Structures are given as structure tokens and as C-alpha cells.
Amino acid sequence: SSEVLEAIENVIQGVLQSLAQKKAPVLTVANRTDWRNIEFKDSVGLQMIPGCTTKQIRSDCPQSARRFALMLKILSMIYKMVQSNTYATKRDIYYSDTLLFGSQSVVDQIINDISCMLKIPRRSLHILSTTKGFVAGNLSYTEEDGTKVNCTCSATAVTVPSNVQGIKNLTSHAKFILIVEKDATFQRLLDDDFFNKVSPCIMITGRGIPDLNTRLLVRKLWDSFQIPIFTLMDADPHGVEIMCVYKYGSVSMSFEAHHLTVPSVKWLGLLPSDLKRLNICKDALIPFTKQDENKLASIQKRPYIACQPLWKKELEIMAASKLKAEIQVLTSLSSDYLSRVYLPNKLQFGGWL
């Protein structure tokens, strides 16, 4: 905490020095979303390059003066929380003054900018992100406040903890981890008692694009157990994008890649090549939108696809067919095809990439 306080004090000192010299104060922030500032490393995923380009948030410029003020406001809130050892979610910060901030996304972006500027992970700033992910299966752990959580015995999923760094005593006999893109599929596998039937496993869903805590939990489970991690996604560009976030990270959070990415993640399904192999009826597939085409084209250009020839092939199949499929398409074969046939066969015969 002293490191965080010192980092904020240095920023404020810079502001005061500028004012003392009759200069307009400026905050310098890395260009987080510029691909030119990102390098791809097989062992880490997407990470920021050391000498990346920056942008200035000036206090004397109409376009950025408001953002400058909001950054100082949130810095002062973080400073107070660290001093008093209290925590707040990004939502709490937004609701502390909705008129001032205007929208939740403004708060989210500023917090990421501050985290990147100070080179301090977000949870060390005493800001918790709201969790939307669920975990179930062969896993138990103790939360920071001493609460014991057992995911094994519950027929319903457990919410991913909001302070993943604080959990300890993780125990599991799981043979693998299955990341499921969608809540509906996750619940279906839960109802089918999938994680007990095939072999003990841990199931996680970020319910779409994963929040920070879900990604932190996947990373923590990987560090703790070093067991295979498989993803079950829709056979569409959006599903591939989500899988890439777990495996290689996202551009906007590349400054925290070391804590978040799990490069060992494998693509289990739904593969575009599975659709032909399983004779899925064309009528059950969905035609691409223009947005899908653009998303797929952008994924195909990314640096990590070049080192994944098998993924590349699957994306080419998808691009050629211009058709996508949701995991639910397997119910056209039989209502429990996913848990009874598809997943057990894939896991037994190594049908992943």
C-alpha cells in the first residue's frame, strides 16, 4: 500500500510543480489500445512494449480538461481507500457521483488508464470489479475472510470470488478445466451432472466476454493445479475472440498480461470442422453478418494466429462457409448430445487444438 500511495503522491507532486512554474499540468498515459504498442510473446500472450507511445491528458485543452479532472478525482478516491484499507467496486465509484462521471464506461477507462500509468495492478488500487462469472465442479477454497467454499457438492454454480488474489487452500482432484462461453450451455452441463460423469473437472463461465475476476481465477487455477484447460465456444468469430482473451489476453489490458493470460488454453469446440464431420444440417447454421466478416478478418490478421496453423485452418473453413453455429446446434442431433457424446469423445480421443 505504501507503494501505491507513493505513486499517487508522485503524480500530484508533478501537478503541483507545473502549477508552481505557471505551466498547465499534464498527465501522460500509455496508448493502451494501439496495436503498435503491443507485442506477442508465446509464453505471455499480448503485452505492452517497453517504449510504447503515450498520449497527454492536458488540463488546458478543452478536449481533455474534463478527463484530467476526473483522473485526479479518482486518484484521490483511490488514495483515501488505500489509506483506510477499504475497497470499492467500479460501480461504487460511478454511483458516488453519476452526474460528474456521466457513464460507467468513462469510470472503467479512467481506472485502467490510472492502473497503467502507475504500473500497479487494479486490485492493488483497492478497486474490485463486479463479478459475473460462475464456477462449479471439483474445487474447494477458502475466501480471504475465512469463508469456506465448496463447489463440488452444490447443484448450483458458485459466483467467481470478487477478490481472487485473496483466496487460499485451493484443493481439487479435477483432471481438467472446461471454460464455457455461455451461461445457458454451462447450466445445461450442470443439470446433466457433467463434471461428475466423465471425470472430475472444474467448469467456469465468464458468461460471454470474461470479466477480470473470471480471468484471474482461470489463471490462479492454472498456477495451482497445472491441469489441461479446454474452451467450449460457439463456432463464430465472437466465440473465437472470447477464447483468445482467455489464452492471449486483450489489447486494452495488455499491461497486466502477466497476471491474466493462460497460453496453454486449448480449443475443444465447437470447431467449424465439427459441423461438417457431424453432418449438421445447413438449415441449423446461421449466415454471417457484415460484422462477423469484419471480426473474423481482424482475428485472422493477429500475430498469434500465425503460430497456430490448426486454428488458422479452422478460421479459413469458417471464412469460406460464411456460416456460424451456436453450441446449442448439437441439440439438433439429440437433446443431451453435448454431454453424452460430443464432450466425452473429444476428451477421450484428443479432439482439441
Side-chain angles (χ1 to χ4, degrees):
S1 61
S2 58
E3 187 192 332
V4 181
L5 296 175
E6 194 181 333
I8 295 173
E9 284 161 10
N10 288 340
V11 171
I12 302 306
Q13 213 166 359
V15 170
L16 292 174
Q17 275 169 351
S18 298
L19 290 170
Q21 293 162 3
K22 304 270 192 292
K23 287 181 188 163
V26 170
L27 297 174
T28 305
V29 191
N31 269 330
R32 286 185 298 114
T33 52
D34 190 338
W35 272 94
R36 288 169 300 186
N37 286 330
I38 311 294
E39 64 178 354
F40 168 64
K41 258 202 177 152
D42 226 0
S43 58
V44 182
L46 300 173
Q47 59 176 10
M48 287 190 91
I49 55 173
C52 67
T53 61
T54 56
K55 57 184 176 188
Q56 291 196 325
I57 297 168
R58 303 187 61 84
S59 58
D60 62 345
C61 163
Q63 281 83 20
S64 61
R66 178 179 158 73
R67 195 170 186 85
F68 179 91
L70 293 180
M71 281 185 81
L72 288 191
K73 167 76 176 167
I74 292 178
L75 277 168
S76 76
M77 292 172 86
I78 292 168
Y79 194 84
K80 280 179 193 153
M81 288 191 298
V82 174
Q83 268 188 327
S84 60
N85 196 25
T86 53
Y87 287 81
T89 65
K90 295 186 298 181
R91 270 187 97 64
D92 295 335
I93 290 177
Y94 168 60
Y95 280 111
S96 69
D97 199 333
T98 52
L99 280 176
L100 177 72
F101 294 119
S103 78
Q104 181 70 60
S105 64
V106 167
V107 172
D108 297 355
Q109 282 169 8
I110 287 176
I111 288 165
N112 284 344
D113 277 343
I114 287 173
S115 174
C116 187
M117 177 176 76
L118 302 179
K119 294 185 172 51
I120 289 168
R122 193 161 77 194
R123 40 200 182 282
S124 303
L125 301 176
H126 284 230
I127 295 170
L128 304 171
S129 46
T130 327
T131 297
K132 64 185 175 92
F134 289 130
V135 59
N138 196 295
L139 173 70
S140 59
Y141 56 84
T142 310
E143 291 202 347
E144 198 179 27
D145 63 1
T147 309
K148 287 185 168 55
V149 178
N150 189 350
C151 307
T152 313
C153 60
S154 84
T156 55
V158 172
T159 308
V160 167
S162 57
N163 184 359
V164 175
Q165 295 310 99
I167 65 174
K168 48 191 183 290
N169 308 333
L170 286 89
T171 50
S172 175
H173 303 294
K175 297 283 181 277
F176 63 90
I177 295 163
L178 182 65
I179 299 171
V180 183
E181 176 186 350
K182 280 187 178 144
D183 194 24
T185 310
F186 180 85
Q187 296 298 339
R188 179 68 211 241
L189 290 172
L190 211 56
D191 294 344
D192 290 350
D193 197 24
F194 172 76
F195 62 80
N196 284 322
K197 277 181 183 163
V198 180
S199 68
C201 74
I202 299 166
M203 294 197 314
I204 291 180
T205 180
R207 298 163 77 197
I209 294 171
D211 58 276
L212 197 64
N213 294 326
T214 304
R215 290 176 62 191
L216 283 167
L217 182 63
V218 171
R219 177 58 195 252
K220 185 146 190 144
L221 293 173
W222 163 247
D223 288 339
S224 304
F225 304 122
Q226 301 278 311
I227 51 177
I229 301 182
F230 301 114
T231 57
L232 180 63
M233 306 279 150
D234 287 341
D236 67 7
H238 190 63
V240 175
E241 173 85 280
I242 289 170
M243 174 172 59
C244 292
V245 168
Y246 283 107
K247 187 175 174 74
Y248 296 122
S250 58
V251 174
S252 62
M253 292 298 288
S254 56
F255 64 96
E256 271 210 62
H258 289 270
H259 311 285
L260 291 171
T261 58
V262 186
S264 63
V265 161
K266 301 276 186 281
W267 187 2
L268 186 69
L270 188 61
L271 302 177
S273 59
D274 289 340
L275 304 174
K276 194 172 180 188
R277 187 174 59 82
L278 298 171
N279 287 323
I280 301 284
C281 166
K282 271 262 170 75
D283 297 345
L285 304 178
I286 308 157
F288 262 24
T289 61
K290 190 77 194 133
Q291 203 179 358
D292 290 326
E293 283 182 45
N294 296 340
K295 166 79 78 187
L296 183 56
S298 100
I299 293 171
Q300 286 176 302
K301 289 194 199 101
R302 289 187 194 164
Y304 45 70
I305 297 299
C307 66
Q308 289 282 2
L310 296 174
W311 282 31
K312 201 172 169 206
K313 213 182 231 164
E314 293 292 334
L315 298 183
E316 282 162 6
I317 293 171
M318 201 191 288
S321 74
K322 291 196 175 173
L323 293 168
K324 56 184 182 177
E326 298 186 327
I327 300 162
Q328 285 88 329
V329 80
L330 297 175
T331 55
S332 68
L333 301 171
S334 79
S335 65
D336 59 352
Y337 191 85
L338 176 67
S339 58
R340 185 177 53 83
V341 183
Y342 182 82
L343 288 175
N345 282 350
K346 283 252 172 181
L347 292 160
Q348 190 180 344
F349 301 113
W352 57 80
L353 307 177

